[in-house]
Amino acid sequence: SQGPLLASLVRLSLILLAYLEPSSVRFLQACSRLRCFLHWTLEIIRESVALGGYSVAFHELNAPLDRLVLAIVLQCHRALSRCSVVLVEMESSPWDKYFSDSESRQKSHRRL
């Protein structure tokens, strides 16, 4: 019964993660939320294996949850590549090109 709710939450988080700026606070919050949803998904999969006896690696009842885990992993990989592009640009450019002072640059650098 938690599956459809979890699927909706994960989809909304993935969409949000795809459109946010990599060094923003909202991006970090979306990543944290997505991590919680991933743990929740893995817990549901563990429970279904324990209660239902689904010992097969890819059981058809777990397929939607397996797809959610795959989507989370792929989106996180994409988000990390976006972060690395921004970080490379920040490190290779003078700080005054994108930031008003070095403190704001350091704050964005820490977030990445």
Side-chain angles (χ1 to χ4, degrees):
S1 67
Q2 298 174 356
L5 172 66
L6 184 59
S8 297
L9 292 172
V10 167
R11 284 185 192 112
L12 290 173
S13 293
L14 291 175
I15 290 169
L16 187 62
L17 196 64
Y19 289 104
L20 289 174
E21 181 183 331
S23 64
S24 68
V25 173
R26 285 187 175 174
F27 184 84
L28 292 175
Q29 291 170 344
C31 289
S32 179
R33 240 180 275 122
L34 193 57
R35 188 188 76 231
C36 292
F37 296 152
L38 175 63
H39 288 294
W40 190 8
T41 302
L42 293 174
E43 186 63 32
I44 290 174
I45 291 172
R46 272 189 230 110
E47 286 176 4
S48 66
V49 168
L51 296 176
Y54 306 130
S55 59
V56 181
F58 299 102
H59 193 275
E60 66 184 44
L61 295 177
N62 282 337
L65 295 174
D66 291 339
R67 285 194 290 273
L68 280 178
V69 171
L70 180 61
I72 291 170
V73 169
L74 292 174
Q75 184 65 21
C76 289
H77 182 270
R78 182 177 179 268
L80 284 173
S81 69
R82 288 175 53 214
C83 288
S84 69
V85 167
V86 171
L87 190 59
V88 165
E89 178 63 26
M90 282 175 55
E91 289 180 345
S92 64
S93 303
W95 66 267
D96 58 349
K97 182 176 180 181
Y98 297 108
F99 304 100
S100 59
D101 58 2
S102 63
E103 184 179 319
S104 63
R105 180 186 183 273
Q106 289 294 356
K107 186 186 290 186
S108 294
H109 195 274
R110 280 193 305 261
R111 287 182 192 149
L112 287 170

